[in-house]
Amino acid sequence: MTACDSQKSGDASMNKFIDKLMDRMTLEEKIGQLNLPSSGDITTGQARSNNIADKIRAGAVGGLFNIKGVEKIQEVQRIAVEESRLKIPLLFGMDVIHGYETVFPIPLGMAATWDMKAIEQSARIAAIEASADGICWTFSPMVDISRDPRWGRVSEGSGEDPFLGGEIAKAMVYGYQGKGDSAYREKTNIMACVKHYALYGAAEAGLDYNTTDMSRIRMFNEYMYPYQAAVDAGAGSVMSSFNEVDGIPATANKWLITDVLRKQWGFGGFVVTDYTGIMEMVNHGIGDMREVSARALSAGVDMDMVSEGYLSTLQQSLKEGKITEKEIDQACRRILEAKYKLGLFDNPYKYCDTERAKTDIYTDEHRSIARRISAESFVLLKNDKQTLPIKKKGKIAVVGPLANTSSNMPGTWSVAVNMEAPATLVEGLKEVAGDKVEIVYAKGSHLMSDAAYEERATLFGRTLYRDKEKRSDIQMLNEALNVAHGADVVVAALGESSEMSGESSSRTDLNIPDVQKTLLEELVKTGKPVVLVLFTGRPLTLTWEDKNVSAILNVWFGGTEAAYAIGDVLFGNVNPGGKLPVTFPQNVGQIPLFYNHKNTGRPLAEGGWFEKFRANYLDVTNEPLYPFGYGLSYAQFDYSDVRLSTDQIDRNGMLTASVTVTNNSECDGDEIVQLYIRDLVGSVTRPVKELKGFEKVTIRAGESKDISFKITPEMLKFYNSDIQFVNEVGEFEVMIGTNSRDVKKATFSLK
Ligand code: NOJ
């Protein structure tokens, strides 16, 4: 029997089972399967659900989310399979976004590793831990492309590039679910949910939940690929986004959900709304609760997260002929299929192994992998006169409001973590530095001068304990300067608190907050080498810092093991190799700024500055501060020219583009070699470059490595103005380099 045959026979027995079950279901019970309340354990927004146990007994719940702890979950599952009429097991979901109790870097940091094996492994470990605690479904991966760092949720995705985002989306799905036929086979495999479909990252003005509006050609060429890649990798579910697409909220958008997702891409799983997504369409202004619920169902949305619009209105809508029974059956079937595929009908307690909960969560092994991956995510933005690595001797002043906090280490959406568990940066550095180094700490400042803003920026319990800090900013500053004067090196732990990025954390000013900036300026004035350890969930504007600080290590939010990982990098046990998955602008006025933009009719010459009647600003160059793909190393990598195996191919052909990369330094290091292509002439305008490949390699001190990329006609395809995916004959530029700006070029043609 081939894999395909066995899948078909698997499908046949599943269909038979579900047919039989659905024959016994009442209309109410079918609608009940479409209902996904939040347990109330951890809630965001406005939950409407109450009396959940009674609803489960009545068959009015299909799944629950945000309930933590295997014993609790086991008990709730027991109610479903012992006390409801049809004994249908529940799905248990959670936002397991970048780890469970062992937390990995925020997704933007994970993307900075460009290491697909590490990304898959992080999702695998998250799945092992979550499944050991009763969870069978995660609301991840989040694959929204975003070019706007004002949007706080840029931290939750993979940045601005669709190709990199697509590769990551696949790796995450494989990590959670397993691959192909073996998906869900193990009790450590959980179901992924790709979100937020679609275009959520293109919110106008970077304002969370805001309108998006774009041409279809942009949508398909620049935003859709990561969702499609996740679907191709077999993702079991998709979450519809809060925003509208083409004037219709995604959750009621039939074109998006039925025509594109299901018909065009062949998605066979189920679609769930985002939190209160149905209810919110009343505010969007497309109808009352009954109307929007009916529209969501007809659009192809199967499960209603928290709104209870399906539960409260679908029966009536059916009577009125607004929806059909077939639509309800279809949605119910898709949810039952997911339960079947997860193995819950065979064993509703598959994910309730209380022994595993004791042995498989936050293990030493998981933590040590997280430490390695955390270090891999850091991006060295500047390293003047080899300030880094710091020698393991003398006195180090560790200063800043983020230097001595545990709760700010894991980063946004770490819902399962114990916030007190992570080591603080001071603790981590002490551990890695050993006895020959004296580490002295001073807080130096609040997070920001405005106490009310600080409170808003530390919601969700990741507080900086401002209320316990009785000293004024001046008192804290003076203490820090004293400490700095007596030290050999100053490590300044500054930036955003954990909840300054993530959901509902849009910002219009992307500078390091005021009092922290003052602290940094004063530290620089001491004349000591200052290393900025930058905590952030988004690109910040760092023009002053880039000019004035000796070294900048961007550590994002690196997870539970971040403090040790930062120590590993600062003290040179690990050579940093991360690269930015997103552009860092010089200032907010440049936003949106992204590397794969189009040319104007009046472009500025490369590296040029102001020319009247050209596309440029009066006050700042067009360049980013740090381009996409940028990141330094303690090693020095030099690139040869690009060699092509041929400069002409036809549609059945293929060519190889190679470079030799030499490590001209005395330390081994990792380099991420990047391949970009530009389609020089097209039937529609094409970007100035697009990432088409990358390879992460370790190159030993003094060694050279040849890196080759295959270029196929398939890689040259794009959506034309009829939204057909085509390649066109003509000239192409190949660029290979260490980031999207510093590249070596060659050209070839497709005949
Ligand atoms: C709202 C968020 O947009 C989504 O990402 C998350 O999965 C749900 N809430 C559930 O917590």
Side-chain angles (χ1 to χ4, degrees), residues 17-34 58-62 84-89 325 328-329 331-333 335-336 339 345:
F17 176 88
I18 292 174
D19 286 345
K20 256 174 92 182
L21 177 58
M22 285 185 63
D23 280 348
R24 296 168 55 216
M25 290 175 84
T26 63
L27 179 65
E28 287 87 336
E29 283 164 334
K30 288 175 185 168
I31 293 172
Q33 286 302 306
L34 318 186
V61 175
S84 73
R85 191 179 75 92
L86 291 174
K87 309 188 183 335
I88 299 174
E325 194 160 356
I328 295 176
D329 281 356
C332 174
R333 175 175 292 275
I335 288 156
L336 296 175
K339 295 180 178 184
F345 285 109

Side-chain angles (χ1 to χ4, degrees), residues 44 65-66 95 139 153 195-196 239 242 274-275 305 413 503:
T44 61
F65 73 105
N66 282 347
D95 287 285
F139 304 134
R153 302 197 81 172
K195 68 188 191 186
H196 307 83
M239 186 185 291
F242 288 129
D274 200 344
Y275 202 101
M305 186 192 285
W413 283 117
E503 188 172 348

Side-chain angles (χ1 to χ4, degrees), residues 565-590:
I566 296 170
D568 291 338
V569 171
L570 291 186
F571 292 111
N573 298 352
V574 173
N575 186 352
K579 304 265 191 177
L580 297 177
V582 67
T583 301
F584 275 44
Q586 299 183 59
N587 66 28
V588 169
Q590 289 183 303

